[in-house]
Amino acid sequence: MARAKKNSAEKTPEASVFYIVGLVLLGIVVAAFIVSLFWTPFEPDATDAASKLMAPCASHPFGTDNFGRDVLSRIMSASKYTIFISIAGVAIALALGTIAGIPAGYFGGFTDRGIMLIGNSIMCFPGILLALVAVAVFGASVGNVIWALGLVFAPTFARVCRVGTMEIKELDYITHARVMGVRPLRIMTFHIFPNLVPQLLPATVIGLANMTLFESGMSYLGLGVQPPDASFGKMLADAQAYVRVAPWLIIFPALMLVFYILGLYFISEGLRISLSKGGK
Amino acid sequence: MTRHIHIVKVHHLTLSFPTRKDPDPRPVLDDVDFGIRDGEILGLIGNSGSGKTMTSLAIAGLLPEAANITSGSIKFAGKDLLEMSPKERRAMLGKDIGMIFQEPSTALDPLMTCGKQLDEVIRAHQDASVTPEDRRKMVTDMLRIVGFTNPDEIYGRYPHQLSGGQRQRVLIAGAALLKPRLLICDEPTSSLDTVTTVSILALLRDLCHRFHMTILFISHDLSAVRGFCDRVMVMKDGKIVDMDTTADILNHPRNSYTAELLTNARLDTRNLGLEPATVDYSKSPVLTAKNITAGYAKPLFGRSKNKTETNNVLHDVSLEVFPNEILGLIGGSGSGKTTLIRSLLDLLPHSGTVNLRSSSVGAIFQDPVSCLNPAHTIKWHMLEALNASGKKRGKVSRSERKALSLKRIITVLEECGLGEEYLTRRPKELSGGQRQRVAIAMCLIQEPALIIADEPFSSLDASSSAELLKLMTDINRERNTAFLLITHNIHIVRQIAPRVIVMSDGRICEEGTTSDVLNNPRSEACSALLEAERRVHGTIS
């Protein structure tokens, strides 16, 4: 009856709302990336002395920068690095975190303490500082940025895996597998890992967003993607000097960054809701 | 206050869970119509999924959000509960309607002392004029009433320092504090052993008289209502199929479904056709365990203080299981049964020797919810068990081997009463009884000489238990598999196990043929178990 229905207005929005908003925001960035693989309005690195700091117009919809490079083209090519670095970095972090976290949770004792000691040592430094040091020592390149960020993010995933494993290993089906004579490695990979996915999935998506923030920060400080290649962080840093005369140099890269990160956050929230509802 | 003949009147209640995909599903409660008389104890019996819990939640106003009441009304002392605002209903909860749940281990907050939690109950429902001293006195008085001789000590204890039965007593104290007129007990005893069950039921009955409470007692075990409930109501598929006084239901069931439940509750061998295999005790045993001592380690930081002190749960236990034998292992909670089997399965460090005359040993556990991996299909489970046994190696091609394994899996599943269509299902699509069957099938495919079953019946309803019991005896007879059956249900042991071991305080206190041990108990623990069994289930000739 009607009164039974009234309460439902107060509950949290459906997961699909988060998915739709998240996918639309993320879609803008991903579409820019895909199109940039085949076509950009101008060559991203081509300078044009005749059209410096042009406001958005018909031929340059997002304007041009101080070298006369087309901002739209540069944004499109910058999205490539943002997406590539965040995915590769998270993949490394996820792999390292899972490989370290599941045994830590499964065996416990000294294995656990040893692995978590390493993880906690990494976590007790500010992440960006550690990544900056690594890049400063080994040289600034896209490859080093990915490795450094992957290492910095690994302990977070290790913790998620460890706690999840500790919960799951006490359940009867794991005991059952042990009684049946399944080897520990197989228990960890085929019996425990699939059950961690509901916890790892939202963490991964959030990881992508955080990774992007770190990457932009590093590029902003000049230790990430190197010129002349474009990246959102680098474009923001370059645009700082012209913020009064050419605000479009800041607005458009910043907007893309916001779309990407916000999109990921929305999707992770949607995942969290739908997995916690139908997880069991 | 006006007195009504019926304190609760549920009038043609129909309830369903509509979803977007299926806006008009089969109702969970279908035209449920009954009354609870003031001061009586009404039993509500039914198998899992029959809607008994939904009925109680509807009365308490705690239905899940997705539930939709399509018709009917619920009247409590003349007031229509469905017309009330959420605020009014909340005020009624606790004060007029109290509830006790099934699982005492999760119903208490682990971070709050018991006394504090009971104190919260009074605080939530009474004005600020009551002083903390008064509240404390009320709580300790109530703790004394529910049977604690040391209420002040219990007041300061945390839930994990209490046993299951003690926690249930604390919960009952909490529910009785506000002296509600109706107390809903949702399977309050199904996670407790028989001895504790008897004492809890006696306590509830005592409270019922003392505070003039009405009790709605929900259970899947028809035999538990004996000597406790005044009237019994039987539910099936959301409908009330039978309702009568307890004596009439138990002695002269008129409805065929009630009769079936009753037979299942009795687990009668003659009706089920249980025929365990005959045992030859001259053969060498499949399992020999000698002088097993085991315990749980102290926490890492507690160790340094007292190195010599051990925390042993098992003391010097020795036992043998013969081929074809169903060996019963009984004992109250905390007697070390589970620790013993964990040691036998080598899951726990222990001293002493365990000799297995078989390459593999199967195990079935208590909880049908967690016995299967939710991420995988039944086929995967069976393949995993088959591969882990390592027996299928032969000089055959991969595809041939696959076909062979699949054939074996289907044979074993069918033997356990599950068809081929279950292969692609996932555990959450199966009922508790079906999951236990899959667990047994996983053991069988490894062809063990011994299967250790740790309380496999305690979470299943009577019908599923009976079917599982039949399956176990069939396997025992046809495959010559020995069983070590751990249970607190003496009745089952009496029916199928030729030999029985009684455990108490981590020691074996009695051992011998079942008829001998159960008819002439020599130890105190064994007589206590038998006495409790007699009071719950009645005398069984």
Side-chain angles (χ1 to χ4, degrees), chain A residues 101-106 156-171 173-174 191-200:
Chain A
I102 296 182
Y106 185 76
T156 325
F157 290 104
R159 284 191 167 191
V160 173
C161 288
R162 173 175 171 265
V163 172
T165 307
M166 286 164 92
E167 264 173 37
I168 293 169
K169 78 166 178 182
E170 294 300 328
L171 296 177
Y173 57 83
I174 300 300
H191 294 246
I192 293 179
F193 180 70
N195 289 299
L196 286 175
V197 170
Q199 291 163 52
L200 278 176

Side-chain angles (χ1 to χ4, degrees), chain B residues 289-300:
Chain B
K290 277 215 173 72
N291 308 98
I292 293 186
T293 300
Y296 292 93
K298 286 249 169 95
L300 202 62

Side-chain angles (χ1 to χ4, degrees), chain B residues 310-535:
Chain B
T310 46
N311 226 354
N312 281 344
V313 179
L314 280 183
H315 310 277
D316 206 19
V317 172
S318 304
L319 66 94
E320 285 175 333
V321 185
F322 292 92
N324 297 5
E325 187 185 22
I326 297 180
L327 175 62
L329 177 60
I330 55 178
S333 357
S335 59
K337 293 174 299 192
T338 299
T339 314
L340 175 62
I341 63 137
R342 285 183 78 89
S343 307
L344 294 179
L345 290 169
D346 212 10
L347 295 168
L348 209 73
H350 57 269
S351 68
T353 52
V354 178
N355 256 323
L356 265 175
R357 213 201 61 197
S358 156
S359 57
S360 62
V361 49
I364 312 164
F365 298 106
Q366 180 172 2
D367 182 13
V369 178
S370 70
C371 73
L372 300 178
N373 194 325
H376 296 291
T377 60
I378 303 307
K379 186 180 171 190
W380 184 91
H381 278 94
M382 298 300 291
L383 268 176
E384 191 71 6
L386 188 61
N387 291 341
S389 71
K391 276 183 186 159
K392 36 91 218 198
R393 296 291 128 91
K395 295 231 182 303
V396 280
S397 74
R398 216 188 151 126
S399 58
E400 231 175 293
R401 207 170 66 209
K402 248 187 177 165
L404 271 177
S405 331
L406 196 65
K407 215 176 132 201
R408 258 194 74 189
I409 289 172
I410 293 170
T411 332
V412 173
L413 274 180
E414 271 168 6
E415 193 178 331
C416 294
L418 299 167
E420 203 180 327
E421 70 273 13
Y422 285 92
L423 280 179
T424 50
R425 301 229 184 139
R426 278 170 200 278
K428 69 171 177 204
E429 298 163 37
L430 303 183
S431 72
Q434 286 169 332
R435 288 177 203 207
Q436 287 292 41
R437 278 158 189 274
V438 174
I440 293 188
M442 283 168 73
C443 294
L444 280 188
I445 205 162
Q446 297 197 310
E447 295 176 352
L450 170 70
I451 293 177
I452 295 180
D454 185 4
E455 307 256 7
F457 309 109
S458 65
S459 320
L460 299 181
D461 58 45
S463 310
S464 313
S465 297
E467 280 164 20
L468 191 63
L469 194 61
K470 173 139 177 55
L471 176 63
M472 281 170 66
T473 45
D474 286 349
I475 291 167
N476 174 250
R477 192 177 60 245
E478 280 155 25
R479 287 187 169 239
N480 297 332
T481 311
F483 277 91
L484 175 56
L485 177 66
I486 291 102
T487 180
H488 56 238
N489 192 333
I490 296 175
H491 191 54
I492 291 177
V493 171
R494 199 192 290 269
Q495 310 258 345
I496 66 167
R499 210 159 59 90
V500 67
I501 287 177
V502 185
M503 278 189 84
S504 157
D505 290 331
R507 288 184 176 82
I508 290 181
C509 60
E510 242 175 295
E511 185 173 1
T513 57
T514 307
S515 55
D516 197 24
V517 170
L518 297 186
N519 294 335
N520 313 302
R522 279 180 297 272
S523 63
E524 204 176 303
C526 187
S527 2
L529 281 171
L530 282 169
E531 170 65 14
E533 177 75 12
R534 196 181 58 72
R535 284 178 54 182

